[in-house]
Amino acid sequence: SSELTQDPAVSVALGQTVRITCQGDSLRSYYASWYQQKPGQAPVLVIYDKNDRPSGIPNRFSGSSSGNTASLTITRAQAEDEADYYCHSRDNNDNHLFGTGTKVTVL
Amino acid sequence: VQLVQSGAEVKKPGASVKVSCRTAGYTFYTYYVHWVRQAPGQGLEWMGIINPSGGSTTYAQKFQGRVTMTRDTSTSTVYMYLSSLRFEDTAVYYCARGDGGYNYHYFDYWGQGSLVTVSP
């Protein structure tokens, strides 16, 4: 199917680890990229390709992929990591897809 | 690298809107530019892509027939034109620079967003 599905919301205790997953058929062929979005702001790229981070993104953010599922892991979560997170990939028809989004709450 | 978008717009149903995205800080021809929108309280929705080098475009099926993306190489600016506006087109519209390889793609720089409100 041409969709990317994410859990709507997850919570994590301060300093603990949280994994956000993204499922879709396109992920069998293309790596996901991940975006963090805080209220009223444009999305920010946090992970791309196999597991690359843009300059300035903390190394507590990491990515992985297996089959039709991509994952974003935040290790030692900080208060400033509280945000919405979206996965993205392209598909075989040159379309681009965004995941449904996951709201991460840091407790 | 900067992508600077035009300001907020208020339009009536059935009207059209043109949003601009002026790029700077990189060679305009060498990166694709995408348009992504976000309705209030909703997720991100991909609208289409333009290749600034030749001007070729690919649009999401949902918007085909209503959206046109163009570029002006003299000012390194891309434009998104959306016609026959409906209430559900109320959203923040973003331009984003695209990059990647044969099996991955990503948006590394984003504009600040342009709010388009469709109201009677």
Side-chain angles (χ1 to χ4, degrees), chain B residues 43-64:
Chain B
L44 301 173
E45 181 175 32
W46 181 76
M47 299 181 68
I49 181 175
I50 182 167
N51 180 349
S53 177
S56 61
T57 55
T58 299
Y59 303 134
Q61 186 171 10
K62 175 177 179 177
F63 299 102
Q64 285 182 5

Side-chain angles (χ1 to χ4, degrees), chain A residues 29-33 35 37 40-45 47-50 84 86 88-90 93-100, chain B residues 34-36 38 41-46 49 58-61 64 94 101-113:
Chain A
S29 303
Y30 300 97
Y31 287 108
S33 57
Y35 302 85
Q37 187 180 35
Q41 298 182 19
V44 173
L45 175 69
I47 290 291
Y48 65 99
D49 198 5
K50 296 181 185 66
D84 294 327
Y86 295 92
H88 152 267
S89 108
R90 58 168 294 181
N93 298 313
D94 287 336
N95 288 303
H96 289 258
L97 310 167
F98 282 100
T100 48
Chain B
H34 298 255
W35 288 90
V36 176
Q38 186 171 38
Q42 303 300 308
L44 301 173
E45 181 175 32
W46 181 76
I49 181 175
T58 299
Y59 303 134
Q61 186 171 10
Q64 285 182 5
Y94 294 102
Y102 85 98
N103 66 343
Y104 67 101
H105 197 92
Y106 55 92
F107 311 111
D108 56 356
Y109 291 93
W110 294 67
Q112 82 277 20

Side-chain angles (χ1 to χ4, degrees), chain A residues 1 17 22 47 53 63 78 81 91 93 102:
Chain A
S1 69
T17 297
C22 172
I47 290 291
R53 282 175 288 104
Q78 302 300 300
D81 299 334
D91 70 12
N93 298 313
T102 298

Side-chain angles (χ1 to χ4, degrees), chain A residues 17-34:
Chain A
T17 297
V18 62
R19 174 175 288 184
I20 304 162
T21 60
C22 172
Q23 289 190 302
D25 289 343
S26 63
L27 299 176
R28 297 184 184 280
S29 303
Y30 300 97
Y31 287 108
S33 57
W34 290 90

Side-chain angles (χ1 to χ4, degrees), chain B residues 70-91:
Chain B
T70 62
R71 93 287 191 221
D72 182 342
T73 57
S74 67
T75 60
S76 300
T77 301
V78 298
Y79 299 91
M80 188 281 298
Y81 176 87
L82 188 62
S83 63
S84 303
L85 289 170
R86 310 157 184 164
F87 294 122
E88 53 266 36
D89 292 319
T90 294

